[in-house]
């Protein structure tokens, strides 16, 4: 056994050194520097179904963050820009800008001081189908806005529009600072044919019928959230209305599946109640909706107050008959937990994705343990552990990693499956009372802001009264901690 281990160790060390070389060459990605901070984003959008375009007007309010500035850079992918102006009371002051199809660099015409708010008006057209972008293993496309069967060419397929913002694709349908460490309140007015239903973040505050057969729905988000969590959906959906503690809990499905809404999503209020009590922080938003769309580019997405699911969750009772904590239910639990870990407190940067995705992954275990017992949870835990261990290329990646070639790389079995197992280990080490107290501290200290692994460590130290640097150094920042074993063996 000793010789076998040493041989394996030599191979492992060679792989490790190769990996270190690759890692060292990958660029360092710091958290995005805040020159200007988003404050409020107001959008007025309508659609050209034949061209697959969004025609938009935007009023975006910002403040210089730490230093005076006379310029603003916004992410805006492949748009036609008609007007950019500074809002001055009821007047618009046209501003100079340059645009390279990726970023708008705007001269503000004067210097604004830190904390001094100003509003920019932008008249634009978004053309997502003309973008040349790529996705990741977790999210297979990145054009932000999707027109599904807009010309009704495919018989029996619904006509839909929906968005997908993660990681930085919201800037494909509205100009913004498309970084996770920005947060903004929002108001989105969506004009669409009257026969369709709309959904967006926050509360539906008004519906106005127009003379041309369209209706304008206005959705308002009074609490700040990150741009990648903005969402819209438009189509022929039936709404099943549920509730939790007098908050709306709604399910949007295609008409054929609407009779089965309760069977598909009916555990959601119980999940909200369980997670609220477990974390000691009640569900923080004014509503929770779930919508199912066609041709989705991932499994599901935790847009604030409005999770979007792929069509695989739409099933008949017969199709669900033999299912026991299957993929759909675990995904529903996963995306709901993001409303705390990801939306309420958002990763400071994609390097710290673990504070979003590792927690959402582990929430599947927590729900299974609560609803079906520890054996069922442990079985789910084993499946996730096996999935991670079965991928040798993941073995030497840190859970928190600032060096990568592309941000999409961090959406992998390390951030998800390995991170979830590390949280389970931390829970077993600290004990339930201290572990969940630590999560409560982390959420309350960073509410509606951003978090990273160090803030999680400090919360766990406050809850436990002990130093946790050793744990985080080993499991979050140093995947190569086994190197000493290799050295001993090689010696």
């Amino acid at each position: 056994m000793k010789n076998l281990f040493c041989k394996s160790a030599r191979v492992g060390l060679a792989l490790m050194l190769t990996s270190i070389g690759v890692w060292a060459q990958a660029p360092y990605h710091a958290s995005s520097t805040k020159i200007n901070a988003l404050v409020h984003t107001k959008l007025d959008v309508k659609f050209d179904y034949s061209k697959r375009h969004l025609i938009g007007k935007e009023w975006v309010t910002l403040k210089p963050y730490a230093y005076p500035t006379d310029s603003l850079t916004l992410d805006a992918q492949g748009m036609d820009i008609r007007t950019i102006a500074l809002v001055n009371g009821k007047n618009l002051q046209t501003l100079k800008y340059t645009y390279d199809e990726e970023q708008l660099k705007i001269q503000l015409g004067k210097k604004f001081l830190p904390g001094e708010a100003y509003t920019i008006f932008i008249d634009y057209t978004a053309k997502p189908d003309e973008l040349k972008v790529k996705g990741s293993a977790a999210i297979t496309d990145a054009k932000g806005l999707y027109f599904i069967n807009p010309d009704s060419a495919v018989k029996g397929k619904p006509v839909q529009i929906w968005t997908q913002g993660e990681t930085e694709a919201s800037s494909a349908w509205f100009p913004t600072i498309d970084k996770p460490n920005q947060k903004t309140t929002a108001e989105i007015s969506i004009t669409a044919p009257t026969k369709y239903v709309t959904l967006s973040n926050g509360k539906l505050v008004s519906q106005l019928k127009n003379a041309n057969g369209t209706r304008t729905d206005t959705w308002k988000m009074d609490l700040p959230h990150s741009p990648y969590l903005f969402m819209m959906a438009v189509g022929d959906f039936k709404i099943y209305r549920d509730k939790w503690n007098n908050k709306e809990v709604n399910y949007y499905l295609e008409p054929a599946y609407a009779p089965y809404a309760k069977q598909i999503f009916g555990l959601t209020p119980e999940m909200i109640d369980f997670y609220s009590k477990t974390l000691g922080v009640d569900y923080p938003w004014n509503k929770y909706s779930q919508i199912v769309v066609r041709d989705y580019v991932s499994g599901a997405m935790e847009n604030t107050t409005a999770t979007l699911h792929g069509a695989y969750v739409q099933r008949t009772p017969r199709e669900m008959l033999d299912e026991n904590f299957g993929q759909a239910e675990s995904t529903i639990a996963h995306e709901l937990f993001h409303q705390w870990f990801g939306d309420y407190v958002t990763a400071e940067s994609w390097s710290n994705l673990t504070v979003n995705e590792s927690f959402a992954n582990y929430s599947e275990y927590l729900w299974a343990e609560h609803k079906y017992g520890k054996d069922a949870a442990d079985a789910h835990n084993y499946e996730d552990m096996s999935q991670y261990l079965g991928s040798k290329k993941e073995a030497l990646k840190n859970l928190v990693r600032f060096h990568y070639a592309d941000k999409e790389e961090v959406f992998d079995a390390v951030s998800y499956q390995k991170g979830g197992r590390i949280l389970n280990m931390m829970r077993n080490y600290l004990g339930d009372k201290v572990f969940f107290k630590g999560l409560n501290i982390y959420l309350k200290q960073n509410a509606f802001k951003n978090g990273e692994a160090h803030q999680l460590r400090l919360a766990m130290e406050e809850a436990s009264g002990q130093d946790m640097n050793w744990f985080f150094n080993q499991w979050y920042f140093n995947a190569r901690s086994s190197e000493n074993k290799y050295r001993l063996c090689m010696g």
Side-chain angles (χ1 to χ4, degrees):
M1 290 295 290
K2 183 179 180 180
N3 288 337
L4 180 61
F5 171 79
C6 287
K7 182 178 180 180
S8 298
R10 291 187 187 101
V11 173
L13 181 58
L15 289 171
M16 181 180 69
L17 292 173
T18 301
S19 176
I20 291 172
V22 172
W23 172 82
Q25 293 171 16
Y28 174 79
H29 292 271
S31 297
S32 178
T33 300
K34 294 181 183 177
I35 298 172
N36 289 280
L38 294 171
V39 177
H40 184 68
T41 303
K42 180 180 178 181
L43 300 172
D44 189 343
V45 304
K46 58 184 179 181
F47 309 99
D48 185 327
Y49 281 78
S50 62
K51 293 181 179 179
R52 303 186 180 208
H53 287 177
L54 176 150
I55 299 92
K57 293 182 179 180
E58 176 176 17
W59 296 260
V60 57
T61 302
L62 309 98
K63 293 179 180 179
Y65 188 77
Y67 304 100
T69 186
D70 59 2
S71 64
L72 167 67
T73 298
L74 295 176
D75 301 300
Q77 302 182 49
M79 299 177 182
D80 291 338
I81 305 296
R82 287 181 291 277
T83 303
I84 296 183
L86 181 69
V87 178
N88 186 5
K90 294 182 179 180
N91 299 318
L92 294 177
Q93 176 188 335
T94 302
L95 298 176
K96 294 179 180 179
Y97 67 92
T98 59
Y99 182 44
D100 63 2
E101 300 296 312
E102 292 185 357
Q103 288 187 323
L104 284 165
K105 296 186 181 294
I106 303 167
Q107 297 301 313
L108 299 176
K110 61 168 284 190
K111 187 165 284 189
F112 288 88
L113 300 176
E116 184 182 1
Y118 62 92
T119 299
I120 301 296
F121 170 75
I122 305 173
D123 189 354
Y124 69 98
T125 296
K127 306 176 293 183
D129 277 32
E130 298 173 32
L131 293 176
K132 290 181 171 43
V133 291
K134 64 176 183 177
S136 66
I139 306 163
T140 59
D141 196 271
K143 62 185 182 183
L145 175 67
Y146 297 82
F147 289 82
I148 307 303
N149 200 27
D151 53 6
S152 300
V154 181
K155 187 177 179 180
K157 187 174 186 177
V159 176
Q160 297 177 349
I161 295 173
W162 48 264
T163 61
Q164 165 56 40
E166 195 173 43
T167 48
E168 295 172 8
S170 285
S171 53
W173 63 277
F174 66 98
T176 188
I177 303 175
D178 208 354
K179 302 298 179 185
N181 64 350
Q182 290 279 346
K183 295 218 169 184
T184 171
T185 55
E187 182 178 320
I188 304 179
S189 295
I190 306 167
T191 298
T194 54
K195 62 183 177 180
Y196 292 142
V197 168
T198 72
L199 176 64
S200 190
N201 313 97
K203 183 179 181 181
L204 180 62
V205 294
S206 70
Q207 292 187 296
L208 176 65
K209 284 188 177 182
N210 305 311
N212 61 354
T214 65
R215 187 187 68 251
T216 300
D217 293 351
T218 298
W219 296 83
K220 196 169 184 181
M221 187 75 182
D222 289 329
L223 297 172
H225 65 144
S226 293
Y228 80 92
L229 296 166
F230 278 44
M231 75 83 68
M232 291 187 304
V234 180
D236 182 15
F237 300 101
K238 297 296 182 184
I239 308 172
Y240 182 97
R241 302 186 186 279
D242 212 338
K243 66 179 181 179
W244 174 80
N245 278 11
N246 294 318
K247 289 188 178 185
E248 291 183 13
V249 178
N250 297 331
Y251 318 130
Y252 292 65
L253 298 110
E254 293 176 30
Y257 290 92
Y260 320 125
K262 191 71 171 177
Q263 290 97 320
I264 295 169
F265 289 119
L267 288 173
T268 302
E270 185 182 344
M271 289 180 180
I272 296 174
D273 196 65
F274 168 64
Y275 289 146
S276 295
K277 290 176 179 175
T278 298
L279 298 171
V281 176
D282 278 352
Y283 178 78
W285 312 104
N286 60 5
K287 73 128 192 293
Y288 187 57
S289 295
Q290 295 176 89
I291 189 167
V292 184
V293 301
R294 292 289 187 99
D295 298 347
Y296 187 49
V297 295
S298 187
M301 180 61 203
E302 66 275 11
N303 311 296
T304 315
T305 77
T307 286
L308 192 148
H309 290 275
Y312 74 92
V313 303
Q314 287 189 142
R315 295 150 298 146
T316 66
R318 182 181 178 87
E319 291 169 321
M320 291 184 280
L321 194 60
D322 295 326
E323 189 172 74
N324 181 40
F325 194 55
Q327 183 183 5
E329 186 179 338
S330 64
T331 301
I332 290 167
H334 178 117
E335 303 305 333
L336 171 60
F337 205 70
H338 268 310
Q339 299 295 317
W340 288 267
F341 288 88
D343 299 5
Y344 186 59
V345 183
T346 307
E348 166 71 16
S349 68
W350 301 120
S351 300
N352 268 278
L353 183 66
T354 178
V355 298
N356 289 10
E357 294 299 349
S358 300
F359 277 103
N361 175 278
Y362 188 51
S363 75
E364 301 169 31
Y365 178 96
L366 294 175
W367 172 250
E369 182 183 42
H370 166 76
K371 187 68 176 176
Y372 304 107
K374 194 170 186 307
D375 285 349
D378 286 344
H380 190 76
N381 187 71
Y382 179 79
E383 289 175 6
D384 273 0
M385 182 179 67
S386 298
Q387 188 172 344
Y388 163 70
L389 293 175
S391 180
K392 293 181 180 179
K393 67 178 182 179
E394 314 288 27
L396 296 171
K397 293 180 182 177
N398 291 337
L399 188 54
V400 176
R401 63 201 108 129
F402 289 92
H403 291 267
Y404 52 79
D406 190 304
K407 61 188 180 301
E408 309 301 331
E409 294 174 11
V410 300
F411 289 79
D412 58 13
V414 178
S415 295
Y416 287 75
Q417 285 82 4
K418 182 181 181 180
R421 311 293 68 73
I422 289 171
L423 289 172
N424 192 47
M425 181 167 54
M426 189 192 305
R427 175 188 173 189
N428 288 329
Y429 172 73
L430 293 173
D432 280 12
K433 184 177 180 180
V434 170
F435 177 76
F436 290 114
K437 181 181 178 182
L439 298 190
N440 176 269
I441 291 169
Y442 171 81
L443 289 172
K444 288 182 175 178
Q445 288 181 344
N446 302 291
F448 304 110
K449 297 187 293 187
N450 295 84
E452 52 187 284
H454 284 301
Q455 286 162 313
L456 178 63
R457 172 182 62 81
L458 291 170
M460 290 299 174
E461 289 184 345
E462 183 176 338
S464 67
Q466 59 179 289
D467 180 87
M468 292 291 289
N469 272 293
W470 65 271
F471 186 96
F472 280 79
N473 285 342
Q474 180 170 351
W475 294 105
Y476 279 77
F477 304 109
N478 188 12
R480 301 171 184 86
S481 60
S482 59
E483 184 178 354
N484 288 335
K485 294 181 180 177
Y486 291 118
R487 287 177 175 171
L488 286 171
C489 206
M490 293 293 284

